[in-house]
Amino acid sequence: LLFSEEAAAFHSLLPRLSLREKAAQVLMVSISGNTAVSANTVDIFRDTAPGAVILFKFNIASTAQDFAAFLRSGHQAFREAAEKQDRLFIPPLYALDNEGGSVYRTRHLTAPLPPAADTGALFSVEQTRTLYMLLGRQMKELGVHLNLAPVAEPQTQENAAVLGTRSYSPDPEQAGSYAAAAVRGMQEGGVLAAVKHFPGNGSADLHNGAAELKVDRAALLSRYCAPFKPSIEAGAAAVLVSHVTAPAVENVPFCFSKKGIALLRNDLRFSGLVITDDIAMKALRENGATAADNALRALEAGCDMVMCSIQQIYPLIVAIAEKAAAENTFARRLDEAVLRVLTAKKKAGLIDAAGTYISSSCDLKRFEKAKNEATRLLETKNRR
C-alpha cells in the first residue's frame, strides 16, 4: 500500500471522528445556491460535513467577490453547525471543472482559457505551465481548492466524439507532457489538480451509458495509462477514475476494479487521492444498483473519494458508516480514504497538520493581477 508520511500524521484525528463523519469525508457532493449556503443545505448533512463540494455553473455568482463570499459562507455555515453539535470541524474542499474551452465553470469570472486542443497546438509546454499557474492563482483567490482537470488522455478515433477538443493531442507523449505542465502550473498557483479520466474513455459517453476499452493489457498500459505517468511524476494531488470497463484488467467499471486501482497505485506509483467520476452517471445505473451500492463498491475497490451529484446524500453516509461498523476490513479501508482526503486538504492549505481550519479571504488585487497576466499571454499568442 502506497501511503505518504503526511497522511499517517493525521492518524490521531481518526478517533475524534464518528463513522458517519468519516463516511461524509469521502464524498464529493453538489449543493444549491450561489449567494449564501443556507441552513437547509447544511441540515442535509445532519451530524456531518461533506469532504468536498463540486461546484456547477449554477453555483457561480456573477462577480469574483460574490463567488468568493458564497464559498466562505459555506465554510462558516458548516463550522457553526459543528460547534453547535460539539464535533470537530473539517471544512469541505471546493472543486470544479476548469479544463478550458467548453468545460470552464468560471469562464465569466477568470481570464479566458482555450480548449486543451488549442493549447496543445498553439502553446509551448512552458507557456502551458504559466497559463495554468495563472489560472491556479485566480482560482485560489476565489476560494476553490481542487480543479478537476486536466484531461491527460490522447484523442483517438474511439474517443474523439466524447472528448472533442478536451484532449491536448492525438499523440500520447504530447498529451501526457501538456497535462503534466497543466498540473505543475495549477499546483504552483495554489490549486490542486485532478488528472483525468484514468485510464481513458471509450466511444460511448459515460453520462449516457456504459463503455469499454477493447484492448489487451500491453496496449492499455502503453496507449492509455502511459500519458498519465508524467502528471503523476509531476506531483498531481489527485487522479479521477473513469467508469469505463477495461476487460484486460477486470470486467467491471474501472472505479469498481480493485485490480484497476492496484494498477494505478503499483504500476504508476500514485500515492495521492483517487476520486471517482460522478456515480450518478447512467454508466453505473445498470442492474438496479443504487448510489449507495455504487459508493460502497468504489470505496472497497480502493477509491478514496466518491463523487455523487444526487440530492439525497445522507443515505450514502449511513450506508458507508453501517458497513464500516459491521466489517473491520472496510473500516480500515475507510480510514485510509479519510487520511488521503485530509492530506489533500492540508496540501490545499485548508487545514494544518493538526486538522485545524485555515480561513482565507479573496484578495481582489492578486486575482486581477493574475487574470490580467493570463489575458496578456493569450493576446500575445492570438496576435501571432
Side-chain angles (χ1 to χ4, degrees), residues 169-250:
S169 172
D171 177 66
E173 193 173 329
Q174 185 180 354
S177 63
Y178 272 80
V183 166
R184 284 193 182 93
M186 267 186 293
Q187 295 192 164
E188 285 167 4
V191 169
L192 305 184
V195 64
K196 64 185 185 185
H197 312 78
F198 187 80
N201 275 283
S203 57
D205 186 340
L206 292 160
H207 293 83
N208 301 321
E212 197 173 283
L213 296 179
K214 297 174 182 176
V215 294
D216 62 24
R217 187 180 176 90
L220 182 76
L221 290 171
S222 62
R223 279 169 44 197
Y224 290 90
C225 298
F228 286 84
K229 197 158 188 179
S231 290
I232 290 169
E233 290 172 347
V239 170
L240 189 146
V241 175
S242 168
H243 299 331
V244 76
T245 297
V249 175
E250 193 172 359

Side-chain angles (χ1 to χ4, degrees), residues 300-316:
E300 282 185 296
C303 296
D304 303 307
M305 179 165 266
V306 177
M307 186 193 302
C308 189
S309 61
I310 64 169
Q311 293 303 306
Q312 298 300 316
I313 206 73
Y314 201 75
L316 273 71

Side-chain angles (χ1 to χ4, degrees), residues 206-376:
L206 292 160
H207 293 83
N208 301 321
E212 197 173 283
L213 296 179
K214 297 174 182 176
V215 294
D216 62 24
R217 187 180 176 90
L220 182 76
L221 290 171
S222 62
R223 279 169 44 197
Y224 290 90
C225 298
F228 286 84
K229 197 158 188 179
S231 290
I232 290 169
E233 290 172 347
V239 170
L240 189 146
V241 175
S242 168
H243 299 331
V244 76
T245 297
V249 175
E250 193 172 359
N251 200 24
V252 294
F254 219 83
C255 59
F256 297 158
S257 173
K258 286 185 181 180
K259 292 178 181 177
I261 305 305
L263 183 153
L264 175 59
R265 294 284 187 212
N266 301 329
D267 292 50
L268 274 72
R269 308 299 296 168
F270 180 66
S271 62
L273 190 69
V274 176
I275 306 172
T276 72
D277 213 338
D278 193 346
I279 62 167
M281 287 184 186
K282 283 185 182 176
L284 301 184
R285 277 194 259 155
E286 296 176 352
N287 305 319
T290 66
D293 294 333
N294 289 336
L296 293 173
R297 285 185 71 187
L299 290 165
E300 282 185 296
C303 296
D304 303 307
M305 179 165 266
V306 177
M307 186 193 302
C308 189
S309 61
I310 64 169
Q311 293 303 306
Q312 298 300 316
I313 206 73
Y314 201 75
L316 273 71
I317 294 172
V318 172
I320 294 166
E322 286 181 348
K323 190 172 180 67
E327 298 177 21
N328 288 337
T329 302
F330 184 78
R332 287 193 295 273
R333 171 79 272 279
L334 180 60
D335 281 351
E336 288 170 5
V338 171
L339 290 173
R340 287 204 179 94
V341 171
L342 294 175
T343 301
K345 292 185 180 190
K346 182 175 181 289
K347 281 182 182 173
L350 189 53
I351 58 174
D352 63 18
T356 307
Y357 171 50
I358 301 171
S359 62
S360 62
S361 58
C362 175
D363 186 323
L364 281 175
K365 285 185 179 177
R366 276 204 296 256
F367 173 81
E368 291 295 339
K369 183 174 184 289
K371 181 176 180 178
N372 291 337
E373 283 183 43
T375 302
R376 281 197 297 274

Side-chain angles (χ1 to χ4, degrees), residues 18-239:
S18 69
L19 287 178
R20 290 190 182 190
E21 286 175 289
K22 290 177 184 179
Q25 280 300 305
V26 299
L27 294 176
M28 179 181 287
V29 305
S30 65
I31 60 172
S32 59
N34 66 3
T35 54
V37 173
S38 68
N40 286 343
T41 294
V42 174
D43 288 346
I44 290 169
F45 301 93
R46 302 187 196 179
D47 50 350
T48 71
V53 171
I54 181 169
L55 302 157
F56 292 103
K57 186 178 178 181
F58 58 79
N59 295 123
I60 313 299
S62 57
T63 69
Q65 205 162 6
D66 288 346
F67 182 48
F70 170 62
L71 299 188
R72 283 198 306 275
S73 79
H75 281 167
Q76 184 62 27
F78 282 113
R79 185 179 196 171
E80 287 172 1
E83 287 171 353
K84 281 179 187 174
Q85 296 168 358
D86 194 27
R87 56 180 172 80
L88 182 65
F89 171 60
I90 299 177
L93 281 167
Y94 288 124
L96 48 70
D97 294 90
N98 265 356
E99 298 173 21
S102 63
V103 184
Y104 191 29
R105 300 287 182 243
T106 62
R107 70 177 67 250
H108 65 270
L109 302 181
T110 47
L113 186 68
D118 288 359
T119 301
L122 301 174
F123 290 80
S124 69
V125 168
E126 194 51 43
Q127 287 169 330
T128 299
R129 181 175 177 169
T130 301
L131 194 61
Y132 282 87
M133 179 188 68
L134 295 169
L135 173 65
R137 287 180 184 173
Q138 293 168 78
M139 290 173 67
K140 180 179 170 65
E141 293 307 325
L142 293 173
V144 179
H145 310 104
L146 173 64
N147 192 359
L148 301 171
V151 172
E153 302 155 68
Q155 190 181 85
T156 64
Q157 279 187 321
E158 195 178 24
N159 68 23
V162 175
L163 286 183
T165 58
R166 296 169 67 192
S167 171
Y168 290 102
S169 172
D171 177 66
E173 193 173 329
Q174 185 180 354
S177 63
Y178 272 80
V183 166
R184 284 193 182 93
M186 267 186 293
Q187 295 192 164
E188 285 167 4
V191 169
L192 305 184
V195 64
K196 64 185 185 185
H197 312 78
F198 187 80
N201 275 283
S203 57
D205 186 340
L206 292 160
H207 293 83
N208 301 321
E212 197 173 283
L213 296 179
K214 297 174 182 176
V215 294
D216 62 24
R217 187 180 176 90
L220 182 76
L221 290 171
S222 62
R223 279 169 44 197
Y224 290 90
C225 298
F228 286 84
K229 197 158 188 179
S231 290
I232 290 169
E233 290 172 347
V239 170

